[in-house]
């Protein structure tokens, strides 16, 4: 017998295969995998004429996707009390100079708010920059295009300075620290710092460039890992990236308020609280920047080593692209479910992030994934249960007066509330007699202290919305009864509210 899970995986596999085979990409090869917290669900790849399709186990350079690994290492030092993100950079590197009296903090470096200019063109060709040359640049002083802490600007130099701080504080080279603190404990055996760290037989995906729109290709050699390598040198596989993202997104699981193992570091690894910190917006990215064109995004910004997008249907999504001569890559995942996509193409400048975003959207829609799961206060569900019983049993609001704050009756007296409720029920054709348990009628919520549920009627259903204040003697501060879906009134027909896809987790 085929299980529902197998059917779902087959459906996701077809979505991935259809999408990847149809991607309009000018590259010799490309590939994508869909994953969840258990690992890769589906993988597909494609190739231009004369090239072989990548295999699932192929190793590719992840470029700037490496930054999340660097930040995780730095936050380990923060948790151990060895590093202060709010400290000025010159506390750790005295030769670091800033314009006038402006202060650049360590956090500004890893949240792309340092004021240092964007430098992708330079850094793409300087991964092998000798350490002595970068130190000379540091001592000479950098130019700033924004006041520190004021605006988003993507800076590889800033992350390189951050990696130097890590080495100064830890007393180790970054690659050594990364290996024994992150890669080995997590079992990321296929993720390494240099191409030479793999055996000669390892299936490393080569990168290519074209100067005639794909008529001919030039092989790109792997740059050595120098002083700037921590910002983009790592190599990995789709399976290791799936495991990495699962670990990063674990704090957002619905099995605890706030999600997952928030307070408990595992082995020598990073606590859930710090991982969650990486995946919150610290530096907003203005919409006029021309970087974000997806109509799905309500907001976008940079966290700590990761971009964060707020999707108008599926809520927060963490992601990061990687690009080098011969490579375009992207990884992204929905925080609540951990479902994500990793994709790459073996040529630079390809729209891999857009294709990965479209693929993730298609998979989330196919699964009808909630934007968030929110665990309700026990008091919220108990208040809802009593109010629901009161409404279906005569709507005498005074019977639950011990729950209702004085403001509820000040806004509208009990008798008027009852009359208006009876009129709404009459317009809806009367209350239905066969009613499912309240748990089955819960619709959505915006917090642990709020709940909207369905009140079935003969012709058209109503919905009831309550909001609690700080748990107190009379906690319910708002009680609203309205037609089902009233929150959509006035919105364009193709618009939705992300909160309507927040699923309450009952206590």
């Amino acid at each position: 017998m085929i299980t529902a899970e197998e059917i779902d995986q087959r459906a996701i596999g077809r979505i991935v295969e259809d999408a990847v085979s149809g991607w309009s990409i000018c590259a010799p090869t490309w590939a994508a995998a869909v994953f969840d917290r258990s690992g890769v669900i589906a993988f597909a790849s494609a190739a231009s004429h004369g090239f072989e399709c990548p295999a699932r186990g192929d190793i590719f350079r992840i470029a700037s996707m490496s930054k999340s690994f660097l930040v995780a290492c730095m936050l380990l030092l923060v948790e151990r009390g060895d590093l202060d993100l709010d400290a000025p950079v010159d506390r750790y590197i005295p030769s670091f100079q800033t314009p006038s009296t402006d202060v650049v903090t360590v956090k500004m470096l890893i949240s792309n708010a340092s004021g240092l200019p964007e430098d992708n063109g330079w850094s793409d060709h300087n991964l092998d920059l000798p350490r002595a040359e970068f130190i000379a640049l540091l001592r000479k002083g950098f130019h700033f295009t924004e006041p520190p802490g004021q605006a988003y600007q993507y800076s590889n130099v800033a992350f390189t300075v951050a990696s130097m701080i890590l080495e100064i504080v830890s007393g180790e080279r970054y690659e050594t620290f990364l290996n024994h603190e992150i890669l080995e404990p997590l079992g990321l055996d296929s993720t390494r710092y240099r191409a030479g760290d793999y055996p000669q037989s390892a299936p490393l995906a080569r990168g290519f460039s074209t100067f005639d729109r794909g008529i001919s290709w030039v092989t790109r050699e792997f740059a050595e890992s120098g002083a700037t390598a921590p910002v983009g040198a790592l190599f990995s596989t789709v399976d290791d990236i799936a495991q990495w993202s699962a670990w990063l997104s674990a704090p957002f699981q619905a099995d605890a308020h706030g999600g997952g193992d928030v307070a408990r570091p595992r082995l020598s690894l990073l606590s859930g609280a710090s991982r969650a910190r990486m995946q919150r917006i610290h530096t907003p990215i203005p919409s006029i920047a021309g970087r974000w064109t997806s109509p799905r995004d309500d907001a976008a910004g940079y966290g700590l080593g990761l971009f964060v997008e707020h999707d108008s249907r599926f809520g927060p999504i963490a992601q990061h692209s990687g690009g080098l001569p011969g490579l375009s890559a992207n990884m992204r995942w929905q925080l609540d479910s951990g479902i994500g996509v990793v994709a790459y193409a073996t040529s630079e400048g390809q729209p891999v992030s857009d294709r990965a975003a479209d693929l993730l959207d298609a998979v989330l829609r196919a699964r009808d994934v909630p934007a968030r799961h929110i665990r309700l206060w026990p008091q919220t569900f108990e208040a809802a249960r009593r109010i629901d019983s009161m409404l279906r049993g005569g709507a005498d609001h005074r019977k639950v007066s011990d729950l209702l704050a004085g403001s509820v009756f000040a806004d509208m007296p009990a008798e008027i509330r009852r009359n208006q409720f009876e009129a709404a029920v009459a317009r809806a054709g009367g209350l239905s007699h066969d009613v499912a348990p309240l748990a089955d009628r819960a619709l959505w919520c915006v917090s642990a202290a709020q709940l909207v549920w369905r009140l079935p009627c003969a012709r058209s259903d109503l919905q009831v919305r309550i909001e609690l204040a700080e748990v107190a003697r009379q906690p319910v501060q708002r009680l609203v009864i309205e037609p089902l879906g009233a929150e959509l009134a006035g919105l364009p027909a193709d618009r939705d509210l992300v909160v309507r896809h927040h699923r309450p987790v009952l206590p």
Side-chain angles (χ1 to χ4, degrees):
M1 178 180 293
I2 298 176
T3 67
E5 181 179 357
E6 288 171 333
I7 293 172
D8 183 59
Q9 288 200 355
R10 288 185 179 184
I12 298 303
R14 286 193 295 271
I15 291 173
V16 177
E17 289 174 4
D18 290 345
V20 172
S21 63
W23 281 357
S24 177
I25 286 182
C26 184
T29 64
W30 59 93
V34 169
F35 55 81
D36 60 17
R37 292 191 179 102
S38 68
V40 171
I41 300 170
F43 172 83
S45 63
S48 300
H49 179 70
F51 291 89
E52 293 185 7
C53 292
R56 176 168 157 177
D58 283 2
I59 298 159
F60 63 100
R61 198 162 209 171
I62 67 173
S64 285
M65 290 158 56
S66 305
K67 290 180 171 67
S68 57
F69 291 82
L70 171 60
V71 170
C73 289
M74 297 187 72
L75 292 179
L76 275 173
L77 296 176
V78 172
E79 290 191 347
R80 295 170 185 173
D82 297 328
L83 177 63
D84 181 0
L85 291 189
D86 294 320
V89 172
D90 60 9
R91 175 187 297 182
Y92 303 102
I93 304 178
S95 58
F96 183 83
Q97 300 177 25
T98 58
S100 63
T101 58
D102 291 330
V103 173
V104 177
T105 67
V106 179
K107 181 183 173 184
M108 290 176 192
L109 296 177
I110 59 175
S111 61
N112 278 324
S114 66
L116 289 165
E118 185 154 340
D119 50 16
N120 282 331
W122 175 83
S123 63
D124 285 353
H125 296 275
N126 281 280
L127 280 182
D128 57 353
L129 186 73
R131 185 176 297 265
E133 289 189 25
F134 187 81
I135 291 174
L137 288 174
L138 181 67
R139 288 174 175 165
K140 183 179 178 182
F142 299 117
H143 292 89
F144 290 72
T145 56
E146 295 282 353
Q150 296 299 308
Y152 167 83
Q153 285 197 124
Y154 189 86
S155 174
N156 289 287
V157 164
F159 275 89
T160 303
V161 173
S163 72
M164 293 182 63
I165 293 173
L166 180 145
E167 293 183 339
I168 290 167
V169 172
S170 68
E172 295 183 89
R173 285 294 176 93
Y174 168 62
E175 58 265 37
T176 303
F177 188 91
L178 172 68
N179 280 332
H180 70 72
E181 295 288 355
I182 295 289
L183 300 183
E184 292 174 4
L186 280 178
L188 300 178
D189 299 328
S190 296
T191 303
R192 302 183 188 178
Y193 197 68
R194 294 179 174 85
D197 293 339
Y198 296 94
Q200 287 189 344
S201 59
L204 266 68
R206 307 299 301 189
F208 300 86
S209 294
T210 181
F211 307 104
D212 50 19
R213 299 185 180 182
I215 297 173
S216 61
W217 295 98
V218 177
T219 303
R220 291 287 191 174
E221 298 300 325
F222 295 123
E224 287 299 319
S225 295
T228 64
V231 310
L234 287 180
F235 295 79
S236 193
T237 63
V238 295
D239 284 275
D240 268 19
I241 294 301
Q243 186 175 343
W244 174 243
S245 71
W247 179 70
L248 286 175
S249 72
F252 300 94
Q253 294 180 86
D255 58 1
H257 181 72
D261 54 339
V262 172
R264 299 192 306 273
R266 183 166 67 87
L267 301 175
S268 63
L269 298 187
L270 195 62
S271 71
S274 289
R275 280 175 276 160
R277 187 180 185 186
M278 293 173 65
Q279 297 165 88
R280 292 195 295 268
I281 290 177
H282 294 271
T283 307
I285 300 176
S287 59
I288 60 172
R291 305 171 187 276
W292 307 97
T293 58
S294 171
R296 293 187 291 259
D297 291 342
D298 287 331
Y302 204 81
L304 300 179
L306 288 164
F307 288 95
V308 182
E309 304 170 1
H310 282 266
D311 185 276
S312 58
R313 162 61 180 85
F314 296 107
I317 290 173
Q319 65 99 357
H320 212 293
S321 292
L324 285 169
L327 171 78
S328 302
N330 182 259
M331 61 179 183
R332 60 181 57 240
W333 53 89
Q334 193 221 25
L335 298 190
D336 188 83
S337 67
I339 296 172
V341 170
V342 55
Y344 67 91
T346 52
S347 189
E348 70 274 10
Q350 298 307 303
V352 171
S353 60
D354 292 340
R355 302 294 180 266
D358 291 341
L359 177 55
L360 179 57
D361 184 77
V363 170
L364 295 176
R365 289 184 187 280
R367 284 190 166 186
D368 193 26
V369 174
R372 284 186 63 195
H373 286 86
I374 298 177
R375 186 171 298 279
L376 296 180
W377 285 346
Q379 294 87 345
T380 305
F381 188 71
E382 175 60 18
R385 186 193 62 78
R386 287 187 56 194
I387 290 171
D388 182 71
S389 178
M390 176 272 294
L391 293 173
R392 292 188 294 110
D396 184 354
H397 292 68
R398 290 169 295 189
K399 290 183 177 181
V400 292
S401 59
D402 60 310
L403 291 175
L404 304 180
S407 58
V408 173
F409 291 130
D411 292 339
M412 185 183 298
E415 194 59 34
I416 295 177
R417 283 184 176 274
R418 179 174 184 172
N419 292 340
Q420 290 196 357
F421 174 72
E422 290 176 346
V425 168
R427 289 192 295 272
L431 291 173
S432 297
H433 297 296
D434 296 326
V435 178
L438 177 61
D440 296 333
R441 292 183 281 122
L443 295 174
W444 53 273
C445 61
V446 297
S447 76
Q450 187 263 3
L451 181 63
V452 180
W453 69 93
R454 182 190 300 266
L455 195 61
C457 296
R459 286 197 299 268
S460 59
D461 293 348
L462 301 175
Q463 66 185 27
V464 184
R465 174 161 49 96
I466 62 170
E467 298 173 11
L468 276 64
E470 180 70 22
V471 176
R473 186 171 61 86
Q474 295 172 303
V476 178
Q477 61 179 330
R478 192 179 305 277
L479 169 59
V480 177
I481 300 160
E482 56 196 354
L484 187 67
E487 63 278 357
L488 294 175
L491 289 179
D494 60 343
R495 292 293 292 170
D496 201 351
L497 295 175
V498 69
V499 293
R500 297 180 72 249
H501 302 281
H502 291 178
R503 296 291 172 257
V505 178
L506 305 183

